[in-house]
Amino acid sequence: MNGLDGMNGDKPRIGLVLGGGGLKGFAHLGVLEVLVHAGITPVLMAGSSIGALIASAHMLGTPLQLMRERALGLRRKDLFRVNASGFARGLLRSPSFYYAEPLQALIANVIPDRRFDQLPKPLLVNTVGLERGMQVMWGAPGFRHASIRDAVYASCALPGFFPPGVVGGRVCIDGGTVDNMPVSAAAEGLDLVIAVDVGNSEIENATDVSQEGIASIFMRSATLMMRTLQRAPLQQWNGPPLVLIRPHVSRFNWFDFTAIPTMLKAGVDAATDVLDAIPQALRAGKGIFPRQQVRVHVSRDQCTGCGQCTAMAPHAMVRGVDGKAVPRQAQFDWSPIDSDFSVHCPTGAIGLERRAISARRPDEESSERVA
């Protein structure tokens, strides 16, 4: 791919971070296929949950075609087996709804039995130490003498669904409970970070979720929590330039086995759409990409003047003389995260019109104002 040489002709140090999201994470395979075809080879990979699974398998040399075949052949019975022995002790005393063994077997099928210190390049697997309540990034200095399989299982062990895992003597759970896309932990020493968010930024309406049982309510709640946690490090991003890939998989639930082919294709499409942003981001040297020209529209009839958008995005929204929301500018030059506030409007009054642009430096904003 053209445009990826550094200032001195050296290849840039690119890191790839894969976020969590249940089966929606199979979109990562489509992203990887595009990056490999484009000749982009990360010097570091990191991930949470299914992102940790796919990053680890790829780093350890598992062919993408094999992972694709395993994904397309996956069925509910291959992952979920009700924890009958746990329930025999009473629902509130069971460690999980499902046994660990099916997930452990799935991991073993694509990840060789290796430790982090046996890898030629850094691999970071995000977990949370349950007993101390701290984020533990396996593969980081001091945390390399551990089984990659054990760390990946723990990173996928969504509380309530699967029992916690034990990694290097520590009881750990899904890293997404504190950091679903660990870009900050992976950024040190890199020239560029590519991060893949599989559906936690775009959450569609779910009018019947309260009628679908405790599992659906829990997953919906977890998604909302992860979206909020994920937004903070991106809004305050001051690391190397970051290219954010967001496959359009938000309409699927976390464990929709019938949608796996669509998720794979969504990863291919999303990665293809942002390839041109990679050399642009390297030239800019900072900021989040791809960047777009965005016009913000507010429906006066739908806007109640609640102030949620002005509180979340004072850079973009103010109150008009009638108390209702008004865009600060007629047009903005924005990264993907700058417009995330729009999905939080409780009445759906905010609409966006986007158009891709050639990258400019992130601090070169449009100055056209609304009268």
Side-chain angles (χ1 to χ4, degrees), residues 43 59-61 114-123 148:
V43 299
M59 184 70 82
L60 285 159
R114 298 285 189 276
R115 300 189 312 271
F116 288 92
D117 59 353
Q118 295 175 312
L119 293 177
K121 294 192 289 189
L123 168 69
I148 297 173

Side-chain angles (χ1 to χ4, degrees), residues 334-345:
W334 271 349
S335 76
I337 66 161
D338 290 316
S339 58
D340 280 353
F341 74 90
S342 64
V343 302
H344 291 268
C345 177

Side-chain angles (χ1 to χ4, degrees), residues 43-176:
V43 299
L44 172 149
M45 294 187 70
S48 283
S49 197
I50 191 170
L53 169 61
I54 292 175
S56 299
H58 186 63
M59 184 70 82
L60 285 159
T62 303
L64 288 173
Q65 182 59 34
L66 175 61
M67 286 194 275
R68 173 181 275 270
E69 291 170 0
R70 294 283 169 82
L72 291 172
L74 190 65
R75 299 294 180 265
R76 184 171 294 275
K77 63 181 177 61
D78 300 324
L79 187 58
F80 298 123
R81 184 153 56 92
V82 174
N83 188 354
S85 61
F87 289 157
R89 292 182 287 170
L91 178 62
L92 295 181
R93 296 187 61 83
S94 175
S96 62
F97 288 120
Y98 303 106
Y99 284 115
E101 287 79 7
L103 176 56
Q104 291 170 333
L106 185 153
I107 291 168
N109 281 335
V110 294
I111 295 179
D113 188 12
R114 298 285 189 276
R115 300 189 312 271
F116 288 92
D117 59 353
Q118 295 175 312
L119 293 177
K121 294 192 289 189
L123 168 69
L124 302 176
V125 171
N126 187 32
T127 68
V128 175
L130 190 59
E131 293 166 334
R132 296 189 62 188
M134 302 294 290
Q135 184 177 15
V136 182
M137 191 67 68
W138 297 98
F143 294 91
R144 292 175 177 157
H145 297 285
S147 163
I148 297 173
R149 285 179 177 177
D150 289 349
V152 169
Y153 170 78
S155 189
C156 293
L158 186 67
F161 276 69
F162 297 103
V166 178
V167 193
R170 296 171 181 255
V171 179
C172 296
I173 58 172
D174 189 341

